[in-house]
Amino acid sequence: MGNVASLLESNSLARAAAVAFGVQWALFPVAAYFQTEKFFDLAGGGTFALLSLLSLRWGGQYYQRQKVQTGLVCTWALRLALFLLHRVLKTGRDTRFKHVRKDPKMFLMYWTIQGLWVFVTILPTLLLNEEKRNPDLGERDYAGWGIWALGLLVQVIADYQKSAFRNNPANQDKFIQSGLWSLSRHPNYLGEILLHTGLFISASSVFRGYQHLSAVSPLFVFLLLTRVSGIPILERQAMKRWGQNEAYLAYRRNTAVLIPYIW
């Protein structure tokens, strides 16, 4: 135990990992007991915000670059968490957990993966906030912040358009194919990938050596959304629901999965 305590005290990344996984594992028993996923996304977003603020405090420098980065992470994380919380409270369920919430082992795996998602995704910010050097703000900082802003804008617009579509009774049992959804079948995920790419680019303006390995952050988000959760699950659900609908099949043929006109 002494060695673990020493590691956590001396290594900010170890402390961050402990927080990322610890929060999820602490909340899992409550979720498992009530067989509910209603605060799952709130826990993930809240952990992002908590870790970004803790890492800023642990670093103790409070440079402008670090404060901006921390603010961007908190803005995205809390916006998304509250949006998803509102959605699940309104619908009463999250289809991702249909066959999971009653299986404790699988449910625990979901919470553990969320801890991994938080830790890996926030790596650029963790490394930035512990950095002692503070070079002048440059083109890479502004480019990264601009890409983050574009990604957040795409995500917010996509979420708003889909929510408005679902709230219209005339659209019951229909699929959305208007607005950003006419260009991409998953524009909200495109926005998320863009904004995490932007956060890495801006943070990398001070990186040296091994710190550049935190490029795994946007890559991990891309692979998670396109190969594990997110797109694969939603595509299967859509085919099950509208697979016999010629209009939907035409929409699939003519609309990019993620990146408009490309893929």
Side-chain angles (χ1 to χ4, degrees):
M1 290 298 293
N3 290 336
V4 173
S6 177
L7 175 64
L8 293 178
E9 183 177 350
S10 62
N11 192 308
S12 61
L13 290 184
R15 271 180 286 170
V19 172
F21 287 100
V23 171
Q24 314 316 310
W25 290 337
L27 293 174
F28 162 72
V30 179
Y33 179 80
F34 291 103
Q35 295 185 357
T36 180
E37 71 279 13
K38 291 184 178 178
F39 56 87
F40 181 82
D41 292 305
L42 182 62
T47 308
F48 266 107
L50 175 63
L51 269 180
S52 63
L53 292 169
L54 283 176
S55 65
L56 183 64
R57 180 179 179 183
W58 293 337
Q61 304 302 319
Y62 300 97
Y63 297 139
Q64 185 67 26
R65 177 183 286 106
Q66 295 171 333
K67 290 188 290 185
V68 170
Q69 180 95 354
T70 299
L72 298 184
V73 172
C74 289
T75 298
W76 160 76
L78 295 178
R79 200 288 311 179
L80 182 62
L82 292 174
F83 169 78
L84 294 175
L85 175 65
H86 176 266
R87 187 178 70 180
V88 75
L89 290 178
K90 186 175 182 178
T91 61
R93 69 191 190 285
D94 186 327
T95 55
R96 292 175 299 172
F97 297 88
K98 182 178 181 180
H99 303 294
V100 173
R101 65 176 73 89
K102 295 183 179 180
D103 182 342
K105 290 183 180 179
M106 185 61 69
F107 205 12
L108 175 59
M109 183 179 297
Y110 271 58
W111 282 89
T112 301
I113 290 175
Q114 176 157 266
L116 180 65
W117 168 61
V118 171
F119 177 69
V120 175
T121 304
I122 204 173
L123 268 176
T125 301
L126 297 177
L127 293 172
L128 171 65
N129 283 348
E130 73 174 10
E131 182 58 53
K132 305 304 180 185
R133 297 180 305 114
N134 184 35
D136 292 339
L137 295 176
E139 293 179 356
R140 197 182 304 182
D141 297 286
Y142 297 118
W145 296 340
I147 294 171
W148 176 91
L150 174 62
L152 183 68
L153 182 64
V154 169
Q155 188 175 64
V156 169
I157 292 175
D159 286 341
Y160 171 79
Q161 290 175 339
K162 193 167 190 178
S163 294
F165 180 85
R166 286 177 169 175
N167 290 336
N168 186 344
N171 293 325
Q172 186 175 0
D173 295 325
K174 295 181 180 180
F175 61 93
I176 184 171
Q177 53 180 326
S178 56
L180 294 180
W181 301 84
S182 67
L183 302 173
S184 167
R185 302 208 296 271
H186 303 280
N188 53 332
Y189 292 150
L190 174 61
E192 181 148 343
I193 292 167
L194 280 173
L195 67 87
H196 287 299
T197 301
L199 289 173
F200 167 74
I201 290 173
S202 59
S204 70
S205 62
V206 301
F207 285 172
R208 294 178 296 183
Y210 80 93
Q211 292 175 319
H212 288 99
L213 294 177
S214 64
V216 70
S217 167
L219 179 61
F220 179 78
V221 172
F222 175 81
L223 293 176
L224 186 66
L225 292 177
T226 61
R227 296 291 184 264
V228 182
S229 66
I231 291 176
I233 294 175
L234 293 176
E235 290 284 299
R236 286 196 299 269
Q237 291 175 346
M239 282 300 293
K240 184 176 180 180
R241 187 172 184 181
W242 298 297
Q244 304 302 317
N245 186 324
E246 287 299 326
Y248 177 71
L249 295 178
Y251 172 67
R252 281 178 62 93
R253 289 193 301 269
N254 300 322
T255 308
V257 175
L258 185 69
I259 306 172
Y261 310 112
I262 298 177
W263 177 74

